[in-house]
Amino acid sequence: MTIEEPESNPLLDWLEDSVSFLPSFLDDPYSSGDVWWDENRNLGRDLISDANAATSIIGDADTVAVDGVSANPVVSDPPSFVDASKKRKAPEEGFPGTSQSQQRRKNRNGVGENEGIVAAAKKGVGNRKSANKPTGNNGNNGYNKEGRWAEQLLNPCATAIGARNLTRAQHLLFVLYELASPTGDANHRLADHGLRALNHIVSSTTSSAAVGPITFASTEPKFFQRSLLKFYEVSPWFAFPNKIANDSILQILAQEPEKTRNLHILDIGVSHGVQWPTLLEALSRRSGGPPPLVRITVVAAAATETDQMGETPFSIGPPGDSFYSRLPSFAKSMNINLQISRLENQPLQNLKAESIKNSPEETLIICAQFRLHHLNHNTPDERTQFLRVIRSLEPKGVILSENNMECSRSNGGDFTTGFSRRVEYLWRFLDSTSSAFKGKESDERRVMEGEAAKALTNHGEMNEGKEKWCERMRAVGFVGEVFDEDAIDGARTLLRKYDNNWEMSVEEKDGCVGLWWKGQPVSFCSLWKLDIKIDENSEQL
């Protein structure tokens, strides 16, 4: 199926005025001076100490040579990240320059088992130009784990680091260095981002950090806005849940007996305002006209969410981003009275109900999208506590959209398991984005992928499955609401504009709508209202 060319977007015309397409490369997202893996905080120094005792990357007898040049990068001074065009050519036959006895020693250490992976990856390495040609589904690698060679290198490397197996870890880091590339297909890009993350894990100083990928915070504001809009046009990753959220707001308003009440939206999300023009336009066409006043309270990502090693992906825009400040004039052109306020320096785990300044004359709707997974769910259980806070606000509806994947950190803080799940998350993003941009390179693509790659170095809690989120919502006093036909039909219509590997599911049990890529869950959207039975029982007590 060929992806339809996106229709003209009025928002692009609205934003059009000498937009710069050359983002500036500012902060290195991996420039923190500390190892983010708290459980084994001295791991980097341990590996470095061991490396000093070794005479090569895998010992005296296990030197790896490529094109006649001995390659001995050590963890304390890993190889520089360079463009794929400047890299040494990968070895054609295993690892030349090693004797049979040396090869046997590699096999005993689990080092010589990657030739098949290297051979598979080399096809892409030698064919980088073809990787830039438009493709419908990126070779279906999302279905077939055997074709996902980057994961078959990154995950064993993380396991070796966790086991303090210096020989194996350094070997795999070297193989990744030879195959990783910021261009090419999803495998090469995943290897590149994964290698950066692993190099940072085993390094206790900033000297080993290479220039990081482009992220939201390192771009120019107008380019940042255009990147978001472009991504919404070519991928449903955020466009799909935003569409359902907007239709859900209209659904809640239609159920309200008083049509003239003001509307108050609590925006706890990552849309950076791009979501709301479409809603404002829909409100202007609403039977009976828009609400007398529309208030949007933006809960901006706070300092605890924006430290370099704990930043929630997609949560922080560049300094000077003015999208929200431009929305009132856009609303005025549609005869909508819009007010926007921001809550700055309000960490979600410390958010108080009184900070919201809600009025009983308003219809309060809370839209929480892709931010709550950063809250701790162990001890303390910040997620449940936050849900109790928003329950106390007595909203008319809560729209919850989150990643629908396994938690990337177990109760014991197992690094290996957590890293593999983060890799899985990033793979789905990179694979789907490759199809979204038809395999073509662009600055917009790179900034979105660089932002998603923060998941690999996020030391906070990450994902949790849909079922667990639903349990939490019910436990604090919410009941699931089914999306109406307009919301479901609108979501289906939207999804038809994108690659046919995207699918949606509607759960009969809880009414959640899921977004899937190549048969694997990506995210879910859910609608919740107050459980009246709990309120009635409280009054009786």
Side-chain angles (χ1 to χ4, degrees):
M1 173 179 174
T2 302
I3 304 176
E4 298 179 11
E5 291 295 328
E7 299 176 359
S8 177
N9 190 331
L11 293 180
L12 286 175
D13 300 331
W14 174 47
L15 288 171
E16 192 75 59
D17 52 54
S18 305
V19 175
S20 171
F21 286 92
L22 297 176
S24 56
F25 293 80
L26 301 177
D27 298 332
D28 173 13
Y30 307 130
S31 62
S32 171
D34 248 332
V35 178
W36 60 262
W37 183 17
D38 293 335
E39 181 188 5
N40 295 313
R41 199 168 184 82
N42 295 322
L43 173 64
R45 288 188 290 275
D46 293 343
L47 286 175
I48 292 168
S49 297
D50 292 340
N52 292 334
T55 57
S56 70
I57 186 172
I58 52 176
D60 289 328
D62 293 325
T63 300
V64 177
V66 179
D67 287 347
V69 179
S70 178
N72 299 305
V74 294
V75 176
S76 58
D77 188 20
S80 301
F81 292 90
V82 294
D83 292 337
S85 60
K86 298 179 181 179
K87 282 187 178 180
R88 297 183 298 274
K89 187 177 179 182
E92 294 294 326
E93 297 293 339
F95 295 94
T98 57
S99 66
Q100 292 182 356
S101 61
Q102 290 170 340
Q103 189 65 40
R104 284 194 294 269
R105 279 192 290 274
K106 286 185 195 177
N107 291 335
R108 285 198 298 271
N109 287 322
V111 171
E113 63 192 35
N114 301 303
E115 283 80 355
I117 299 175
V118 173
K122 276 172 51 188
K123 295 179 180 179
V125 174
N127 247 338
R128 289 274 165 76
K129 290 184 179 180
S130 64
N132 293 330
K133 294 180 181 179
T135 56
N137 55 20
N138 201 29
N140 282 325
N141 283 344
Y143 289 115
N144 181 12
K145 281 235 175 188
E146 292 182 1
R148 292 156 58 171
W149 57 260
E151 290 178 73
Q152 298 177 46
L153 292 171
L154 288 169
N155 291 337
C157 187
T159 300
I161 291 173
R164 286 181 166 80
N165 186 336
L166 173 66
T167 299
R168 182 163 172 76
Q170 288 186 320
H171 169 77
L172 290 169
L173 285 170
F174 175 75
V175 175
L176 281 164
Y177 166 67
E178 287 300 312
L179 300 176
S181 171
T183 61
D185 66 13
N187 270 302
H188 295 104
R189 294 165 187 262
L190 179 60
D192 184 64
H193 289 297
L195 179 58
R196 294 177 190 274
L198 290 173
N199 264 320
H200 186 81
I201 291 167
V202 298
S203 173
S204 58
T205 67
T206 60
S207 62
S208 65
V211 176
I214 319 172
T215 62
F216 285 176
S218 64
T219 61
E220 190 270 338
K222 290 182 180 178
F223 169 77
F224 162 68
Q225 295 167 6
R226 286 190 65 91
S227 295
L228 281 179
L229 292 174
K230 176 65 176 179
F231 188 68
Y232 277 42
E233 287 183 354
V234 300
S235 171
W237 192 280
F238 292 125
F240 182 85
N242 284 350
K243 168 66 174 173
I244 292 180
N246 287 348
D247 287 344
S248 300
I249 293 173
L250 298 175
Q251 176 180 332
I252 295 169
L253 291 178
Q255 296 169 352
E256 287 294 293
E258 297 181 39
K259 305 298 182 183
T260 58
R261 289 172 64 90
N262 295 335
L263 171 62
H264 186 185
I265 299 173
L266 186 61
D267 179 4
I268 310 171
V270 296
S271 77
H272 301 275
V274 173
Q275 171 181 357
W276 303 123
T278 305
L279 175 66
L280 295 173
E281 187 178 7
L283 289 174
S284 69
R285 300 194 306 264
R286 192 178 69 140
S287 176
L293 173 66
V294 177
R295 290 180 57 207
I296 299 178
T297 299
V298 183
V299 182
T304 55
E305 297 178 73
T306 61
D307 64 280
Q308 291 171 325
M309 288 301 102
E311 185 175 323
T312 306
F314 307 104
S315 64
I316 306 299
D321 177 34
S322 60
F323 198 102
Y324 275 106
S325 65
R326 301 171 69 178
L327 282 176
S329 60
F330 180 81
K332 187 176 180 179
S333 68
M334 298 183 176
N335 297 317
I336 294 178
N337 183 15
L338 175 66
Q339 292 182 2
I340 294 179
S341 59
R342 289 177 65 89
L343 293 179
E344 303 283 359
N345 300 317
Q346 289 276 349
L348 295 183
Q349 56 267 43
N350 298 330
L351 188 67
K352 305 297 181 184
E354 50 268 25
S355 303
I356 307 304
K357 298 180 180 179
N358 187 42
S359 167
E361 306 301 320
E362 298 174 325
T363 298
L364 175 63
I365 300 175
I366 298 174
C367 188
Q369 294 185 291
F370 305 103
R371 287 267 299 282
L372 303 193
H373 65 253
H374 190 264
L375 295 172
N376 194 357
H377 65 66
N378 293 325
T379 305
D381 185 355
E382 295 173 343
R383 296 186 186 184
T384 299
Q385 180 58 36
F386 178 81
L387 295 179
R388 289 197 181 104
V389 171
I390 65 174
R391 172 65 173 80
S392 69
L393 294 170
E394 299 186 349
K396 294 297 182 181
V398 175
I399 300 151
L400 175 64
S401 300
E402 271 296 347
N403 300 321
N404 187 14
M405 301 179 190
E406 289 184 278
C407 178
S408 54
R409 185 172 152 195
S410 67
N411 292 337
D414 177 35
F415 161 71
T416 302
T417 301
F419 185 80
S420 67
R421 289 174 179 173
R422 292 186 183 99
V423 166
E424 175 72 21
Y425 164 85
L426 185 57
W427 166 261
R428 294 178 197 176
F429 187 89
L430 296 175
D431 188 44
S432 63
T433 302
S434 179
S435 292
F437 285 90
K438 303 180 182 180
K440 297 178 181 178
E441 294 296 324
S442 72
D443 287 338
E444 292 89 346
R445 176 181 177 181
R446 281 189 285 272
V447 72
M448 297 305 298
E449 292 178 342
E451 190 68 24
K454 291 178 181 177
L456 295 182
T457 54
N458 190 315
H459 61 64
E461 302 296 338
M462 278 293 292
N463 301 313
E464 198 166 40
K466 169 181 66 67
E467 292 77 12
K468 189 62 179 179
W469 281 110
C470 291
E471 288 178 15
R472 292 181 186 279
M473 293 296 287
R474 286 189 286 265
V476 299
F478 288 104
V479 61
E481 181 84 357
V482 176
F483 293 104
D484 64 17
E485 291 184 4
D486 289 340
I488 299 299
D489 291 343
R492 285 200 177 99
T493 300
L494 176 69
L495 209 56
R496 293 192 190 103
K497 298 180 179 180
Y498 302 105
D499 189 284
N500 64 347
N501 283 307
W502 286 107
E503 301 172 284
M504 66 174 284
S505 63
V506 181
E507 300 287 341
E508 295 183 3
K509 178 181 177 181
D510 47 34
C512 295
V513 174
L515 180 64
W516 296 61
W517 170 252
K518 292 185 176 180
Q520 298 298 316
V522 170
S523 62
F524 73 94
C525 306
S526 58
L527 178 59
W528 303 86
K529 290 192 172 183
L530 299 179
D531 191 340
I532 304 301
K533 294 180 180 179
I534 293 181
D535 291 336
E536 292 175 349
N537 293 337
S538 299
E539 291 176 0
Q540 293 175 1
L541 294 175

